[in-house]
Amino acid sequence: MAESIRTQLESDGVSLLVGTAVDYAGGIHCKGVPIRRLPEFQDAGMGASPSWNVFCADNGIAFTSSIGAVGDLRLRLDAARVRKVDDGLAWGPATFHEQDRTLSPLCPRGRLAAVVDSLTERGLSPLMGTELEFVLTTRDGGHLPKPGWTAYGMGAVSDRRGFLVDLTATLEAAGLGPEQIHAEYGEDQFEVSLAPAPPVEMADGCVLARILIGIVAARHGMAASFSPLPWTDGAGNGAHLHLSLHRDTTPLFGGSLGPHGITPEGGSAIGGILAGLDHFLGVYAGSVLSAQRLQPGRWSGAAACWGLENREAAVRFVAATAGNPHGANVELKVVDPSANIYLAAAALVGSALHGIDAGLPLPAEVPGNPADADDWPATAIDADQATILEKLEASDLAGKTLGPDIVEGIVAVRRHEAAKFAGKDPAETAQALRFAWSA
Ligand code: GLU
Ligand code: MG
């Protein structure tokens, strides 16, 4: 199979093939080979230090008890997912293996696949969709000149139509099938949403989409920031994750007698996702900039509750209706683009499974703005970085879901950021990290 993929890409004019891996701080890294070496990239893999996993947003390295300067992993290409992304350039996702070909316990992509397997073994199939919010800037990271900005505005689309038309065609050609593309609320902020797919495919698609958005932005003389907070006085970027679950062909979030059609197992999954926030916020929104985005009033879901179409709830429930052909699903809004998408997906799916296994009840629905509810601030999320990292570090659920080495690594890269930017003006930190999550 590798040979036929190589031959096809060569006839499409591809010379350089890159395989990507995402570190625990959310940065995207790659190794490249001439296209003739695709079979070796898939089979033996290319060498990469284990420290690739603990590269930090500022390009520091946060070594841990299991990740030091010694050792070598093999970064092996998933050849079936390789796509041509630009003239002469092809991309594919890669996984970390040991020298003996076993999967490395440090590998985020491998971990997500393992968590998905544990659902499949119980007869459950997850599908996930993602939304990519980003802010366009000048090539050197400044504000774009523009006559004005209207949220979700047609003017913004007209103004940037060259970029948006090129982006749409590029995403379609790469087989990503974007669902929607629109101007967002924040100035120069746009969003692309991707159709539901199995979780590993969704995460791969998110990486590829980020690469393509960067390439097309550069083609049009701009850059794209995927920072949770590109500017301290502007809108934040989210990386919302949608999840639907089926047992055989039966959906868990619709078609039943429960509230909005939610089945008892679906209710337990939502209970698990909400209970999991206390364990996994350091995975979903753990960067030094994340807490400033994860605040009430920013539609980032800064309240630990759920509600139908509730954009201030951490879990927005999307019901199965004639207007929603994909069927019922839940949207986890707290996730931002500094998260490692594979690990965020593993945490989400793993906490839903935990809720189902433990038979957790569906918590009471919060129908309005949680900040207006009588019990506020009982549901308010404390997004403080030091607090959420302590909770992640102490969590048995996180250790079980992601493995202790990965949890230790996530905590290490985030504490490195905290120490590096301690006492700095937040605007300076936002500037230093504006492109840390771009590709
Ligand atoms: N930009 C918001 C965030 O940081 C989300 C806005 C929306 O609901 O699309 O999550
Ligand atoms: Mg949005």
Side-chain angles (χ1 to χ4, degrees):
M1 182 193 69
E3 280 301 338
S4 62
I5 295 171
R6 178 178 66 87
T7 313
Q8 179 63 48
L9 289 165
E10 273 174 349
S11 66
D12 286 348
V14 168
S15 323
L16 174 63
L17 166 67
V18 295
T20 51
V22 184
D23 67 38
Y24 302 156
I28 302 175
H29 307 277
C30 71
K31 276 249 161 150
V33 296
I35 190 65
R36 70 181 154 77
R37 297 202 70 208
L38 183 150
E40 286 111 298
F41 204 167
Q42 177 191 38
D43 188 33
M46 300 298 139
S49 153
S51 64
W52 272 46
N53 289 295
V54 286
F55 288 151
C56 302
D58 69 333
N59 287 316
I61 304 179
F63 292 118
T64 67
S65 62
S66 58
I67 303 176
V70 177
D72 191 52
L73 295 174
R74 305 305 298 177
L75 195 56
R76 294 178 64 200
L77 181 78
D78 187 341
R81 292 273 161 80
V82 170
R83 300 274 179 281
K84 180 175 171 182
V85 296
D86 200 9
D87 283 347
L89 179 67
W91 159 93
T95 37
F96 285 109
H97 289 248
E98 308 287 353
Q99 299 286 341
D100 67 3
R101 303 176 73 95
T102 53
L103 194 64
S104 166
L106 301 175
C107 181
R109 188 169 186 265
R111 195 70 207 181
L112 173 57
V115 174
V116 171
D117 282 349
S118 60
L119 268 84
T120 313
E121 281 158 19
R122 288 170 177 74
L124 294 165
S125 2
L127 282 181
M128 297 184 79
T130 185
E131 298 174 11
L132 293 102
E133 291 182 341
F134 57 96
V135 168
L136 290 175
T137 72
T138 57
R139 280 303 296 157
D140 59 358
H143 285 295
L144 291 169
K146 60 185 166 304
W149 184 262
T150 305
Y152 305 98
M154 182 59 218
V157 173
S158 302
D159 202 28
R160 299 287 163 214
R161 65 189 182 284
F163 164 75
L164 292 168
V165 168
D166 191 357
L167 181 62
T168 307
T170 303
L171 293 170
E172 291 278 42
L176 274 176
E179 290 269 287
Q180 283 189 37
I181 298 176
H182 62 83
E184 251 291 338
Y185 186 81
E187 286 198 6
D188 298 322
Q189 190 180 37
F190 290 85
E191 174 177 321
V192 170
S193 47
L194 300 182
V200 175
E201 207 174 296
M202 176 283 298
D204 290 343
C206 178
V207 171
L208 175 56
R210 237 186 256 192
I211 294 168
L212 293 173
I213 291 166
I215 287 176
V216 178
R219 222 183 257 155
H220 293 265
M222 300 182 288
S225 169
F226 287 90
S227 166
L229 198 73
W231 276 276
T232 44
D233 58 355
N237 284 322
H240 309 170
L241 289 177
H242 289 257
L243 170 69
S244 66
L245 289 164
H246 283 76
R247 180 171 287 291
D248 302 320
T249 53
T250 310
L252 263 53
F253 295 132
S256 170
L257 295 175
H260 312 299
I262 299 172
T263 67
E265 270 196 321
S268 293
I270 293 174
I273 294 166
L274 288 174
L277 290 176
D278 225 25
H279 303 257
F280 290 119
L281 267 184
V283 180
Y284 298 141
S287 84
V288 71
L289 293 170
S290 296
Q292 252 185 286
R293 163 188 170 265
L294 196 48
Q295 299 294 330
R298 301 181 68 111
W299 288 15
S300 53
C305 59
W306 74 278
L308 179 68
E309 294 293 355
N310 192 334
R311 286 181 169 74
E312 285 289 348
V315 173
R316 169 183 163 224
F317 186 78
V318 185
T321 63
N324 170 22
H326 286 310
N329 62 86
V330 290
E331 177 190 32
L332 182 65
K333 290 189 67 96
V334 298
V335 187
D336 77 45
S338 71
N340 176 306
I341 183 75
Y342 296 97
L343 297 178
L348 173 56
V349 171
S351 50
L353 179 62
H354 170 70
I356 292 173
D357 282 349
L360 295 185
L362 175 68
E365 178 177 2
V366 174
N369 187 339
D372 296 335
D374 291 342
D375 66 347
W376 185 258
T379 57
I381 282 178
D382 179 359
D384 173 69
Q385 194 194 29
T387 309
I388 63 178
L389 294 180
E390 270 164 34
K391 288 182 178 174
L392 173 62
E393 191 173 35
S395 165
D396 285 344
L397 179 63
K400 208 178 84 188
T401 309
L402 304 178
D405 292 339
I406 289 182
V407 171
E408 188 189 358
I410 298 172
V411 171
V413 295
R414 296 313 191 189
R415 287 202 176 132
H416 171 96
E417 287 171 19
K420 171 77 186 260
F421 296 103
K424 290 250 176 14
D425 176 2
E428 216 180 293
T429 306
Q431 183 186 356
L433 299 180
R434 196 164 289 146
F435 297 100
W437 299 282
S438 301

Short mmCIF file of all heavy atoms in Angstrom, two decimals, residues 381-427:
data_model
loop_
_atom_site.label_atom_id
_atom_site.label_comp_id
_atom_site.label_asym_id
_atom_site.label_seq_id
_atom_site.Cartn_x
_atom_site.Cartn_y
_atom_site.Cartn_z
N ILE A 381 -16.35 27.95 36.96
CA ILE A 381 -15.11 27.18 36.82
C ILE A 381 -13.94 28.01 37.32
O ILE A 381 -13.80 29.18 36.94
CB ILE A 381 -14.91 26.78 35.34
CG1 ILE A 381 -15.82 25.60 35.01
CG2 ILE A 381 -13.45 26.46 35.03
CD1 ILE A 381 -15.75 25.13 33.57
N ASP A 382 -13.13 27.41 38.17
CA ASP A 382 -11.89 28.08 38.59
C ASP A 382 -10.81 27.64 37.60
O ASP A 382 -10.34 26.51 37.64
CB ASP A 382 -11.52 27.67 40.02
CG ASP A 382 -10.22 28.34 40.47
OD1 ASP A 382 -9.63 29.09 39.67
OD2 ASP A 382 -9.80 28.10 41.62
N ALA A 383 -10.46 28.55 36.68
CA ALA A 383 -9.53 28.18 35.61
C ALA A 383 -8.08 28.50 35.95
O ALA A 383 -7.20 28.35 35.10
CB ALA A 383 -9.93 28.92 34.33
N ASP A 384 -7.82 28.91 37.19
CA ASP A 384 -6.46 29.28 37.60
C ASP A 384 -5.48 28.14 37.26
O ASP A 384 -5.69 26.98 37.62
CB ASP A 384 -6.46 29.54 39.11
CG ASP A 384 -5.05 29.74 39.63
OD1 ASP A 384 -4.45 30.77 39.28
OD2 ASP A 384 -4.54 28.84 40.34
N GLN A 385 -4.40 28.51 36.55
CA GLN A 385 -3.51 27.48 36.01
C GLN A 385 -2.90 26.59 37.09
O GLN A 385 -2.88 25.36 36.96
CB GLN A 385 -2.41 28.14 35.16
CG GLN A 385 -1.66 27.15 34.29
CD GLN A 385 -0.37 27.69 33.71
OE1 GLN A 385 0.27 28.56 34.29
NE2 GLN A 385 0.02 27.18 32.56
N ALA A 386 -2.41 27.20 38.17
CA ALA A 386 -1.76 26.40 39.22
C ALA A 386 -2.76 25.41 39.83
O ALA A 386 -2.44 24.24 40.07
CB ALA A 386 -1.19 27.32 40.30
N THR A 387 -4.01 25.89 40.04
CA THR A 387 -5.04 25.03 40.65
C THR A 387 -5.38 23.85 39.75
O THR A 387 -5.43 22.70 40.21
CB THR A 387 -6.32 25.88 40.90
OG1 THR A 387 -5.94 27.05 41.60
CG2 THR A 387 -7.36 25.10 41.68
N ILE A 388 -5.60 24.11 38.47
CA ILE A 388 -6.03 23.00 37.60
C ILE A 388 -4.89 22.00 37.37
O ILE A 388 -5.14 20.82 37.20
CB ILE A 388 -6.65 23.50 36.26
CG1 ILE A 388 -5.65 24.27 35.41
CG2 ILE A 388 -7.89 24.34 36.51
CD1 ILE A 388 -6.22 24.72 34.06
N LEU A 389 -3.65 22.48 37.43
CA LEU A 389 -2.53 21.55 37.27
C LEU A 389 -2.38 20.66 38.51
O LEU A 389 -2.08 19.47 38.40
CB LEU A 389 -1.23 22.30 36.99
CG LEU A 389 -1.19 23.03 35.65
CD1 LEU A 389 0.14 23.75 35.46
CD2 LEU A 389 -1.44 22.08 34.47
N GLU A 390 -2.61 21.25 39.69
CA GLU A 390 -2.57 20.42 40.91
C GLU A 390 -3.63 19.33 40.85
O GLU A 390 -3.39 18.18 41.21
CB GLU A 390 -2.83 21.29 42.15
CG GLU A 390 -1.57 21.86 42.76
CD GLU A 390 -1.87 23.02 43.71
OE1 GLU A 390 -2.91 22.98 44.39
OE2 GLU A 390 -1.04 23.95 43.75
N LYS A 391 -4.83 19.71 40.38
CA LYS A 391 -5.91 18.72 40.30
C LYS A 391 -5.59 17.63 39.26
O LYS A 391 -5.86 16.46 39.49
CB LYS A 391 -7.23 19.41 39.93
CG LYS A 391 -7.80 20.23 41.08
CD LYS A 391 -9.11 20.84 40.66
CE LYS A 391 -9.74 21.63 41.79
NZ LYS A 391 -10.95 22.34 41.37
N LEU A 392 -5.02 18.04 38.15
CA LEU A 392 -4.64 17.06 37.11
C LEU A 392 -3.60 16.09 37.66
O LEU A 392 -3.69 14.87 37.49
CB LEU A 392 -4.11 17.80 35.88
CG LEU A 392 -3.51 16.97 34.75
CD1 LEU A 392 -4.54 16.03 34.15
CD2 LEU A 392 -2.95 17.88 33.64
N GLU A 393 -2.61 16.65 38.34
CA GLU A 393 -1.52 15.83 38.88
C GLU A 393 -2.03 14.81 39.89
O GLU A 393 -1.54 13.69 39.96
CB GLU A 393 -0.52 16.78 39.57
CG GLU A 393 0.79 16.16 39.94
CD GLU A 393 1.76 17.24 40.46
OE1 GLU A 393 1.31 18.21 41.12
OE2 GLU A 393 2.96 17.09 40.20
N ALA A 394 -3.06 15.21 40.68
CA ALA A 394 -3.55 14.34 41.75
C ALA A 394 -4.64 13.38 41.26
O ALA A 394 -5.11 12.54 42.03
CB ALA A 394 -4.12 15.21 42.88
N SER A 395 -5.03 13.47 39.98
CA SER A 395 -6.21 12.73 39.52
C SER A 395 -5.89 11.29 39.13
O SER A 395 -5.11 11.03 38.21
CB SER A 395 -6.81 13.46 38.32
OG SER A 395 -7.72 12.63 37.64
N ASP A 396 -6.57 10.34 39.79
CA ASP A 396 -6.46 8.93 39.38
C ASP A 396 -7.07 8.72 38.01
O ASP A 396 -6.57 7.94 37.21
CB ASP A 396 -7.20 8.03 40.39
CG ASP A 396 -6.41 7.88 41.67
OD1 ASP A 396 -5.21 8.20 41.67
OD2 ASP A 396 -7.03 7.47 42.69
N LEU A 397 -8.19 9.42 37.77
CA LEU A 397 -8.88 9.26 36.48
C LEU A 397 -7.97 9.69 35.33
O LEU A 397 -7.88 9.02 34.30
CB LEU A 397 -10.17 10.10 36.47
CG LEU A 397 -10.98 10.04 35.18
CD1 LEU A 397 -11.49 8.64 34.89
CD2 LEU A 397 -12.16 11.03 35.23
N ALA A 398 -7.24 10.81 35.53
CA ALA A 398 -6.33 11.28 34.47
C ALA A 398 -5.19 10.27 34.28
O ALA A 398 -4.81 9.95 33.16
CB ALA A 398 -5.78 12.66 34.82
N GLY A 399 -4.67 9.76 35.40
CA GLY A 399 -3.58 8.77 35.31
C GLY A 399 -4.03 7.53 34.56
O GLY A 399 -3.30 6.98 33.73
N LYS A 400 -5.26 7.12 34.84
CA LYS A 400 -5.80 5.91 34.20
C LYS A 400 -6.10 6.17 32.71
O LYS A 400 -5.84 5.34 31.85
CB LYS A 400 -7.11 5.53 34.92
CG LYS A 400 -7.44 4.05 34.87
CD LYS A 400 -8.70 3.76 35.65
CE LYS A 400 -9.88 4.01 34.77
NZ LYS A 400 -11.20 4.00 35.16
N THR A 401 -6.62 7.34 32.41
CA THR A 401 -7.04 7.63 31.04
C THR A 401 -5.85 7.94 30.12
O THR A 401 -5.77 7.45 28.99
CB THR A 401 -8.02 8.84 31.02
OG1 THR A 401 -9.05 8.60 31.97
CG2 THR A 401 -8.63 9.04 29.65
N LEU A 402 -4.92 8.76 30.61
CA LEU A 402 -3.83 9.24 29.75
C LEU A 402 -2.51 8.53 30.02
O LEU A 402 -1.57 8.63 29.23
CB LEU A 402 -3.64 10.75 29.93
CG LEU A 402 -4.87 11.61 29.68
CD1 LEU A 402 -4.56 13.08 29.95
CD2 LEU A 402 -5.39 11.43 28.25
N GLY A 403 -2.42 7.84 31.16
CA GLY A 403 -1.14 7.23 31.56
C GLY A 403 -0.34 8.21 32.40
O GLY A 403 -0.35 9.42 32.12
N PRO A 404 0.36 7.71 33.43
CA PRO A 404 1.08 8.61 34.34
C PRO A 404 2.19 9.43 33.69
O PRO A 404 2.42 10.57 34.06
CB PRO A 404 1.65 7.66 35.41
CG PRO A 404 1.50 6.27 34.85
CD PRO A 404 0.43 6.30 33.82
N ASP A 405 2.86 8.86 32.67
CA ASP A 405 3.96 9.61 32.04
C ASP A 405 3.44 10.83 31.30
O ASP A 405 4.05 11.90 31.31
CB ASP A 405 4.71 8.71 31.04
CG ASP A 405 5.46 7.60 31.74
OD1 ASP A 405 5.73 7.72 32.95
OD2 ASP A 405 5.76 6.59 31.08
N ILE A 406 2.31 10.67 30.64
CA ILE A 406 1.73 11.80 29.89
C ILE A 406 1.23 12.87 30.86
O ILE A 406 1.47 14.06 30.67
CB ILE A 406 0.61 11.31 28.94
CG1 ILE A 406 1.23 10.52 27.79
CG2 ILE A 406 -0.22 12.48 28.41
CD1 ILE A 406 0.24 10.02 26.73
N VAL A 407 0.56 12.44 31.95
CA VAL A 407 0.07 13.42 32.93
C VAL A 407 1.26 14.20 33.50
O VAL A 407 1.23 15.45 33.57
CB VAL A 407 -0.73 12.72 34.04
CG1 VAL A 407 -1.05 13.71 35.17
CG2 VAL A 407 -2.02 12.14 33.48
N GLU A 408 2.31 13.50 33.86
CA GLU A 408 3.48 14.18 34.42
C GLU A 408 4.06 15.18 33.40
O GLU A 408 4.44 16.30 33.75
CB GLU A 408 4.55 13.15 34.81
CG GLU A 408 5.72 13.75 35.56
CD GLU A 408 6.88 12.76 35.76
OE1 GLU A 408 6.78 11.58 35.35
OE2 GLU A 408 7.92 13.20 36.30
N GLY A 409 4.06 14.76 32.13
CA GLY A 409 4.60 15.63 31.07
C GLY A 409 3.76 16.88 30.85
O GLY A 409 4.29 17.97 30.66
N ILE A 410 2.42 16.72 30.87
CA ILE A 410 1.55 17.90 30.66
C ILE A 410 1.78 18.89 31.79
O ILE A 410 1.94 20.10 31.57
CB ILE A 410 0.05 17.50 30.64
CG1 ILE A 410 -0.24 16.54 29.49
CG2 ILE A 410 -0.83 18.74 30.53
CD1 ILE A 410 -1.65 15.95 29.53
N VAL A 411 1.81 18.38 33.02
CA VAL A 411 1.99 19.26 34.17
C VAL A 411 3.36 19.97 34.06
O VAL A 411 3.47 21.17 34.32
CB VAL A 411 1.86 18.45 35.49
CG1 VAL A 411 2.27 19.28 36.68
CG2 VAL A 411 0.42 17.93 35.64
N ALA A 412 4.37 19.23 33.62
CA ALA A 412 5.72 19.81 33.52
C ALA A 412 5.78 20.95 32.49
O ALA A 412 6.34 22.01 32.77
CB ALA A 412 6.73 18.72 33.16
N VAL A 413 5.18 20.75 31.30
CA VAL A 413 5.28 21.82 30.29
C VAL A 413 4.49 23.05 30.73
O VAL A 413 4.92 24.19 30.49
CB VAL A 413 4.82 21.37 28.88
CG1 VAL A 413 5.73 20.30 28.31
CG2 VAL A 413 3.38 20.90 28.83
N ARG A 414 3.38 22.84 31.41
CA ARG A 414 2.56 23.98 31.82
C ARG A 414 3.22 24.72 32.99
O ARG A 414 3.13 25.95 33.07
CB ARG A 414 1.14 23.53 32.19
CG ARG A 414 0.34 22.93 31.03
CD ARG A 414 0.41 23.74 29.76
NE ARG A 414 -0.56 23.29 28.76
CZ ARG A 414 -0.61 23.71 27.51
NH1 ARG A 414 0.29 24.58 27.06
NH2 ARG A 414 -1.51 23.27 26.67
N ARG A 415 3.86 23.96 33.89
CA ARG A 415 4.56 24.66 35.00
C ARG A 415 5.77 25.42 34.46
O ARG A 415 6.12 26.48 34.99
CB ARG A 415 4.97 23.65 36.07
CG ARG A 415 3.77 23.17 36.85
CD ARG A 415 4.12 22.61 38.21
NE ARG A 415 2.88 22.28 38.90
CZ ARG A 415 2.64 21.14 39.53
NH1 ARG A 415 3.58 20.21 39.61
NH2 ARG A 415 1.48 20.93 40.13
N HIS A 416 6.37 24.89 33.41
CA HIS A 416 7.48 25.61 32.77
C HIS A 416 6.98 26.97 32.26
O HIS A 416 7.60 28.01 32.49
CB HIS A 416 8.06 24.78 31.62
CG HIS A 416 9.04 25.52 30.77
ND1 HIS A 416 10.41 25.43 30.96
CD2 HIS A 416 8.86 26.41 29.75
CE1 HIS A 416 11.02 26.22 30.09
NE2 HIS A 416 10.11 26.82 29.34
N GLU A 417 5.82 26.95 31.57
CA GLU A 417 5.23 28.21 31.07
C GLU A 417 4.95 29.16 32.23
O GLU A 417 5.24 30.36 32.15
CB GLU A 417 3.87 27.97 30.40
CG GLU A 417 3.91 27.32 29.05
CD GLU A 417 2.48 26.92 28.58
OE1 GLU A 417 1.48 27.44 29.10
OE2 GLU A 417 2.40 26.08 27.68
N ALA A 418 4.36 28.61 33.30
CA ALA A 418 3.99 29.45 34.44
C ALA A 418 5.23 30.15 35.00
O ALA A 418 5.21 31.35 35.27
CB ALA A 418 3.31 28.62 35.51
N ALA A 419 6.33 29.39 35.14
CA ALA A 419 7.55 29.96 35.71
C ALA A 419 8.16 30.98 34.75
O ALA A 419 8.59 32.06 35.15
CB ALA A 419 8.56 28.84 36.00
N LYS A 420 8.14 30.65 33.46
CA LYS A 420 8.75 31.54 32.47
C LYS A 420 8.06 32.90 32.41
O LYS A 420 8.70 33.94 32.26
CB LYS A 420 8.68 30.84 31.10
CG LYS A 420 9.08 31.67 29.91
CD LYS A 420 10.59 31.80 29.81
CE LYS A 420 11.01 32.75 28.71
NZ LYS A 420 11.42 32.08 27.49
N PHE A 421 6.73 32.88 32.51
CA PHE A 421 6.00 34.14 32.34
C PHE A 421 5.50 34.74 33.66
O PHE A 421 4.75 35.72 33.63
CB PHE A 421 4.84 33.95 31.35
CG PHE A 421 5.33 33.61 29.96
CD1 PHE A 421 5.28 32.30 29.48
CD2 PHE A 421 5.90 34.58 29.15
CE1 PHE A 421 5.76 31.98 28.21
CE2 PHE A 421 6.38 34.27 27.89
CZ PHE A 421 6.31 32.97 27.41
N ALA A 422 5.95 34.17 34.78
CA ALA A 422 5.51 34.69 36.08
C ALA A 422 5.89 36.17 36.21
O ALA A 422 7.02 36.56 35.88
CB ALA A 422 6.17 33.89 37.21
N GLY A 423 4.94 36.98 36.64
CA GLY A 423 5.22 38.40 36.89
C GLY A 423 5.29 39.24 35.64
O GLY A 423 5.47 40.45 35.70
N LYS A 424 5.15 38.63 34.45
CA LYS A 424 5.21 39.41 33.18
C LYS A 424 3.86 40.08 32.93
O LYS A 424 2.81 39.57 33.33
CB LYS A 424 5.53 38.48 32.01
CG LYS A 424 6.95 37.94 32.02
CD LYS A 424 7.75 38.57 30.89
CE LYS A 424 9.21 38.20 30.82
NZ LYS A 424 9.74 37.11 31.56
N ASP A 425 3.89 41.18 32.22
CA ASP A 425 2.67 41.83 31.77
C ASP A 425 1.92 40.84 30.86
O ASP A 425 2.52 40.31 29.92
CB ASP A 425 3.10 43.09 31.00
CG ASP A 425 1.92 43.82 30.37
OD1 ASP A 425 0.79 43.37 30.58
OD2 ASP A 425 2.18 44.83 29.68
N PRO A 426 0.63 40.58 31.12
CA PRO A 426 -0.11 39.61 30.29
C PRO A 426 -0.05 39.92 28.79
O PRO A 426 -0.02 39.02 27.96
CB PRO A 426 -1.55 39.70 30.82
CG PRO A 426 -1.42 40.25 32.21
CD PRO A 426 -0.19 41.10 32.22
N ALA A 427 -0.03 41.23 28.45
CA ALA A 427 0.02 41.59 27.03
C ALA A 427 1.34 41.11 26.40
O ALA A 427 1.38 40.68 25.24
CB ALA A 427 -0.14 43.10 26.86
#
